[in-house]
Amino acid sequence: MTPQRPVQASKREAEVLAALAERLSNVQIAGRLHISVRTVESHISSLLRKYGVTDRWELAEEARRRTPQPGHIAGLPAARTTFLGRGEEIATVLALLERERLVTLLGPGGIGKTRLAAVAAGAAAPAFPLGGAFVDLVPVAGAFVAQAVASALGVTERPGQALEDVIVRRLARGRTLLVLDNCEHLLDDAAGFVERLLSACPTVTVLATGRERIGVQGERTVLVPPLPADSDAGRLFLDRAEAADPGFTAARADVAEICRRLDGMPLAIELAAARGASLGATGLLTALEDVLRLLTGGRGAVERHRSLRAVIRWSHDLLTEDERELFECLSVFVGGFDLAAVGAVVPGLGAGAAADLLGRLVDKSLVVRAAEGRWRMLETVRAFAAERLAAGAAQGAVRERYLRWAADTAAGLEQRMDGDWRGRFDSVADDLRAALAGAPPGRADVPHRLARSLGHLTYARRFLHEAPGHYREAARRAPTPDEAALDLRDAADAAHALIETGRAFDLLLESAEQSRRAGDGDGEAATLAFAVVTAERHPSGFDAEIPPERLRALLARARAAGDLRDRVVAAHLAAARAWSHGTEKVTPDPFLAAAARSAARATGDPVLLSAALDASGIAALTAGRFREAHRIATERVGLLPAMPRDVPYPAPEITDTYHMATACAVAAGDLRAALSAARLAASDDLIGDRSPVAMATLVQALVLMGDLDEALFHADTLWEACEDAGSPLAWTAPSVAAVALAHGLLGDEDGLRLWRDRAERIAGDARSRYLASYAAFVDARTALRAVRAEDAPVLVERAFAPFPPQDWYRGYARAAGAELAVAAGLPDAPERLAAASDAAPENAWAAACLARASGLLHRDIDELTGSARSWEGIGARHEHAFTLDLIEELRPRR
């Protein structure tokens, strides 16, 4: 592969790139730079080409990482000491990495697997043009392997897409290397992750380290042996001893004997060498003889790691009291730590004293410097330190201070959500999770604060599937019911971000119950009312729809609980009344919707106002006032910049606004606006370009505009999003049917049948609400390619069926049905045209279609020419071309 040249971006592109790195949407970027959204889109398209990435969020990550050079392995540990020996092992690993997909370095703790993997990865990097990442799994719990890899790669999760899939997309851009270091404590999770990655991404190579095989098919292992005592081990000992004491000297035979006694274990050798300055080679030999005899029970057939353990214990026992206290306290950190963290777990230790003690532990090879201002313990050493801490009386107090440090650190991150806060969060995330997992059971302030902060941080970091669980845990930990109510409400909103509205409904009811227990009638009323709205407005996300009588009972409870003079309570109750006035879901009352809109405006809350506007918009759609609905949806889009993206509260409105903006534009036949709204959705980092919302809106708009190839390019992603969703997605059925339409317009009968069946499947029991008229439209429009007189009457009848009021595509169905009646020469064609004519004023697509049908009926070229202009005006390229062909067919032949 040709080496990549540095990217040259213009000044304006650089400004756009910087804004992308801050996760701003196109609308927000346009506002900041005082340019149009279309200009922003143009700059982003140019940057995508220049950087060779496929979507804006990969582009944002490239910007955040400052576009490393080709072959860059993110997170590769910086070498702080000389690497000695292992020439044969490195050659073996490099050879395997050239031809194998999974290579695992095997050996006991302290044998040097991590260092060997880092050196090998650095040497192999030029063979991986798109680089990769080095991921230390030591601090990672099993459920968070994907999060650790995502953090190292700098990618984020999006609704409708598993984090593993985001990782696959990042690694699938070209040949990449992923190093998973220290897999032994989470073998099952690591194996599952690696197997999925290798199956889905043929361009990735994995280099792993551990004490056991990962156990994935195709794995090749390299056993990492001890260092030869009379060569590499001796060189290592002398290098480290001279680093501690530049004047250190020792006879070659003594050095070899020391290394033999330490079984050639690099970590044991480094620990012993750190004592060489004070003991000399002879003293060290004597001390080791005593230590190994006393601590391992004699040499014999003792496993190698026992000699390492003996040396660690010996090093520990030689520490001063303050060094030993710090050494043991540091074992609570599963990842790295800085001076502030050290001071937090060791009471009364100032920064200067902490730095001095850490320096002494580093000199003794018991702590290693991980990065500027951060240190860590090697896992083998940390395990010993943790045992010593557990054996003493201080463990409870240390772990309590560790928990408090975690809660304070998380709270501090919440206050600094600007710049590179994500990098800081990634560096401590495993410790925050571990501190919460290890907290004593029960309700208490500190673990509650930590769980709540973790919910917020993981949501803002876009670990969307992780966030609701932390909010749920916060509710379990909450000292008071009113705090639990708030936690559960945030959990519900976070579930909304995943389009899991049924789960959100259950969490809202739990939240309302906690508000009742707290004596917060207003909170109970607002939450119950929002639960009612959720069930009425988003029923497709429920496994079973909530019966109307239950929702009416919940609304009655809300009215009784809250103070109607409170503006927020009044707005929620007004919205619930508007949505639940009848027995049919998704049919708000237009007069009550207007009242809800007024009540919401009084609060000044853009989220409440957006929800109330949606009630008015859907009421307009239901009544066939599609242009009004389109105007209202556009107003909702204008509210989006005022909604924060780092908290769950606006999530229901953000996702729904984008969906409805496209749906209403399509209902009105404004295809360009529909496509623009779809691309806005894909550019919002809460939605992403592969979520059900983004894919459903984009595909439908593309098909109607005639961009059939691009629509089919995205079709499989749309279907994957539907299949992978955590709740039913019947509302995407029209977009799935749009793919069928694309196949039909291209003459692909097999594709047409496949996607029509899929649309029926995804609609399920909600077919009449979401799919009926769109399916009739697809069938009627595709039949125009090869009109069969025997099929036409049935298809036309379906197109003019009495669709339910929630089905917004009846104008498309009737217009296509009327045109089919004309093309098939049905005797009632003029009546069908007249019956469909009421769709024309509200739907530009239907108007153009009916004009074409009328021209065809009357064989009027001028009328057909007017239809062609209409198609061109709304951007429907396929329909425009189809109309021109009809005109040519009708022109008199000379």
Side-chain angles (χ1 to χ4, degrees):
M1 182 175 293
T2 305
Q4 299 175 2
R5 288 176 296 179
V7 174
Q8 298 295 323
S10 69
K11 180 180 178 182
R12 179 64 83 189
E13 286 175 343
E15 292 173 337
V16 171
L17 197 60
L20 285 174
E22 296 179 41
R23 307 290 182 185
L24 299 185
S25 69
N26 287 7
V27 174
Q28 292 168 318
I29 295 172
R32 170 184 287 188
L33 301 180
H34 305 292
I35 57 179
S36 70
V37 173
R38 187 174 296 277
T39 301
V40 174
E41 292 173 351
S42 175
H43 285 311
I44 291 175
S45 296
S46 172
L47 288 165
L48 289 172
R49 291 192 299 272
K50 289 182 177 181
Y51 280 82
V53 295
T54 56
D55 68 52
R56 62 181 281 118
W57 302 113
E58 289 181 13
L59 183 62
E61 295 302 338
E62 293 288 348
R64 199 167 67 82
R65 290 193 300 270
R66 298 184 182 272
T67 56
Q69 293 298 312
H72 173 75
I73 307 296
L76 192 68
R80 299 189 179 278
T81 55
T82 307
F83 182 75
L84 299 169
R86 300 294 192 199
E88 182 177 340
E89 290 88 345
I90 290 175
T92 299
V93 173
L94 292 178
L96 288 172
L97 290 177
E98 288 182 1
R99 62 179 188 271
E100 303 294 341
R101 301 285 312 286
L102 172 60
V103 180
T104 304
L105 308 184
L106 295 177
I111 200 68
K113 302 184 296 297
T114 295
R115 190 68 187 276
L116 175 59
V119 171
F128 295 91
L130 293 186
F134 188 104
V135 185
D136 179 12
L137 295 180
V138 165
V140 179
F144 301 107
V145 173
Q147 280 90 332
V149 175
S151 296
L153 291 171
V155 298
T156 53
E157 185 178 350
R158 293 148 204 174
Q161 187 179 19
L163 190 55
E164 290 87 347
D165 293 335
V166 182
I167 293 168
V168 166
R169 285 194 74 201
R170 166 66 174 82
L171 296 177
R173 286 162 39 193
R175 192 155 187 255
T176 51
L177 176 65
L178 180 64
V179 185
L180 299 178
D181 188 34
N182 292 294
C183 298
E184 54 270 355
H185 65 297
L186 32 72
L187 274 178
D188 290 342
D189 295 280
F193 176 82
V194 169
E195 189 162 26
R196 180 173 181 181
L197 184 63
L198 295 179
S199 298
C201 186
T203 61
V204 71
T205 297
V206 177
L207 174 61
T209 76
R211 301 178 190 181
E212 301 178 51
R213 291 172 54 91
I214 290 180
V216 172
Q217 186 175 6
E219 180 180 17
R220 294 295 302 273
T221 59
V222 176
L223 184 63
V224 182
L227 293 173
D230 56 353
S231 56
D232 292 341
R235 290 170 57 208
L236 176 65
F237 176 85
L238 285 172
D239 182 82
R240 303 305 190 256
E242 289 168 0
D245 177 8
F248 179 85
T249 59
R252 181 174 178 176
D254 288 344
V255 171
E257 179 61 22
I258 290 170
C259 294
R260 271 193 294 272
R261 293 187 181 187
L262 297 176
D263 298 306
M265 296 288 284
L267 179 55
I269 290 169
E270 294 202 22
L271 288 168
R275 293 290 176 184
S278 57
L279 296 176
T282 304
L284 193 55
L285 271 172
T286 302
L288 284 176
E289 182 177 358
D290 292 339
V291 166
L292 294 172
R293 184 179 67 252
L294 291 173
L295 298 183
T296 68
R299 300 293 291 151
V302 176
E303 296 178 8
R304 286 192 178 91
H305 71 266
R306 295 190 64 186
S307 61
L308 171 60
R309 180 178 176 80
V311 174
I312 294 173
R313 181 171 177 179
W314 175 54
S315 296
H316 168 267
D317 291 346
L318 291 174
L319 296 175
T320 63
E321 183 177 349
D322 53 353
E323 290 172 345
R324 188 180 303 141
E325 179 185 8
L326 178 59
F327 174 73
E328 294 174 3
C329 288
L330 293 178
S331 68
V332 296
F333 293 103
V334 298
F337 44 83
D338 57 16
L339 287 177
V342 172
V345 298
V346 182
L349 188 65
D356 176 60
L357 287 173
L358 272 175
R360 288 191 243 163
L361 293 177
V362 170
D363 290 342
K364 295 173 174 64
S365 295
L366 292 171
V367 169
V368 296
R369 187 179 176 189
E372 186 63 36
R374 290 187 65 79
W375 295 263
R376 65 185 291 266
M377 280 182 159
L378 297 178
E379 182 56 19
T380 308
V381 176
R382 192 184 79 85
F384 176 85
E387 289 179 8
R388 300 305 304 168
L389 180 64
Q395 183 185 34
V398 174
R399 296 208 68 86
E400 182 179 348
R401 291 193 292 270
Y402 172 61
L403 177 63
R404 190 172 295 278
W405 163 83
D408 292 343
T409 298
L413 284 168
E414 289 183 279
Q415 300 301 315
R416 297 192 301 274
M417 282 192 173
D418 53 9
D420 191 30
W421 74 270
R422 293 173 184 83
R424 171 63 177 155
F425 170 73
D426 289 345
S427 70
V428 299
D430 291 308
D431 268 298
L432 302 185
R433 294 176 183 125
L436 180 60
R443 300 182 180 277
D445 175 66
V446 176
H448 170 252
R449 285 197 295 115
L450 175 56
R452 180 162 181 78
S453 293
L454 264 175
H456 182 193
L457 292 166
T458 52
Y459 181 86
R461 181 62 176 83
R462 294 298 183 256
F463 292 150
L464 297 178
H465 284 84
E466 181 182 350
H470 289 309
Y471 281 121
R472 193 75 184 78
E473 178 66 13
R476 286 190 285 266
R477 298 280 193 171
T480 62
D482 58 331
E483 292 173 301
L486 180 61
D487 299 329
L488 289 164
R489 173 59 193 268
D490 283 333
D493 289 334
H496 256 295
L498 298 167
I499 323 179
E500 297 178 359
T501 52
R503 179 185 179 191
F505 177 82
D506 293 336
L507 288 164
L508 287 167
L509 295 187
E510 289 186 55
S511 176
E513 175 58 23
Q514 291 295 327
S515 291
R516 187 194 64 77
R517 291 183 55 205
D520 179 9
D522 288 349
E524 180 186 5
T527 306
L528 285 173
F530 186 54
V532 171
V533 171
T534 297
E536 292 281 1
R537 189 179 168 197
H538 307 291
S540 70
F542 289 70
D543 293 325
E545 289 190 8
I546 309 300
E549 56 272 17
R550 185 184 180 197
L551 295 177
R552 284 194 292 269
L554 290 174
L555 182 52
R557 278 181 51 194
R559 287 197 197 101
D563 181 357
L564 299 181
R565 295 168 299 181
D566 183 276
R567 290 181 177 179
V568 172
V569 172
H572 276 289
L573 289 173
R577 283 193 295 270
W579 282 98
S580 62
H581 78 104
T583 58
E584 281 287 336
K585 302 287 194 299
V586 204
T587 54
D589 179 88
F591 298 105
L592 294 175
R597 194 167 66 240
S598 297
R601 287 192 192 279
T603 68
D605 184 342
V607 174
L608 290 178
L609 178 56
S610 176
L613 285 169
D614 188 45
S616 292
I618 291 185
L621 284 171
T622 303
R625 300 193 305 275
F626 300 145
R627 295 184 186 279
E628 179 186 345
H630 182 19
R631 177 189 60 75
I632 292 172
T634 303
E635 183 179 350
R636 292 181 69 199
V637 171
L639 294 172
L640 289 175
M643 298 183 192
R645 295 303 196 273
D646 64 345
V647 292
Y649 173 57
E653 290 314 308
I654 294 171
T655 55
D656 186 75
T657 294
Y658 284 121
H659 166 57
M660 291 307 299
T662 302
C664 292
V666 167
D670 188 347
L671 305 185
R672 288 192 172 90
L675 186 60
S676 177
R679 296 202 189 282
L680 274 178
S683 73
D684 193 300
D685 85 320
L686 184 60
I687 307 298
D689 65 347
R690 296 173 70 85
S691 70
V693 171
M695 283 293 98
T697 55
L698 179 64
V699 166
Q700 192 177 35
L702 288 171
V703 172
L704 291 173
M705 291 192 75
D707 292 333
L708 305 183
D709 290 339
E710 185 178 353
L712 294 180
F713 175 78
H714 294 294
D716 287 338
T717 302
L718 167 63
W719 186 243
E720 288 169 8
C722 292
E723 286 192 311
D724 294 343
S727 64
L729 293 180
W731 56 269
T732 63
S735 297
V736 176
V739 180
L741 175 59
H743 282 288
L745 293 175
L746 293 171
D748 178 3
E749 293 295 324
D750 290 338
L752 169 61
R753 284 191 295 272
L754 170 65
W755 286 88
R756 274 289 280 108
D757 290 344
R758 285 180 168 180
E760 296 288 345
R761 195 190 324 166
I762 201 75
D765 294 339
R767 182 188 191 281
S768 64
R769 178 180 297 143
Y770 294 106
L771 183 61
S773 66
Y774 202 90
F777 158 59
V778 169
D779 294 342
R781 178 60 189 86
T782 54
L784 283 174
R785 290 194 74 257
V787 178
R788 292 191 292 268
E790 65 275 16
D791 297 334
V794 173
L795 296 178
V796 170
E797 193 64 36
R798 288 179 187 167
F800 282 86
F803 300 114
Q806 310 96 324
D807 205 329
W808 311 322
Y809 304 109
R810 53 192 178 274
Y812 284 90
R814 292 186 176 184
E819 185 172 21
L820 178 59
V822 171
L826 299 186
D828 63 347
E831 289 77 13
R832 295 296 190 183
L833 267 174
S837 63
D838 62 346
E842 292 289 339
N843 184 326
W845 194 100
C849 182
L850 290 168
R852 183 170 67 193
S854 179
L856 184 61
L857 177 66
H858 302 112
R859 304 184 69 80
D860 186 332
I861 290 179
D862 288 340
E863 202 166 5
L864 286 170
T865 302
S867 170
R869 285 196 296 269
S870 297
W871 290 123
E872 187 175 26
I874 65 174
R877 288 184 282 278
H878 185 90
E879 300 297 347
H880 178 254
F882 183 77
T883 308
L884 294 179
D885 289 342
L886 285 178
I887 293 172
E888 286 302 310
E889 290 177 15
L890 290 179
R891 288 189 189 281
R893 301 296 180 186
R894 292 185 179 181

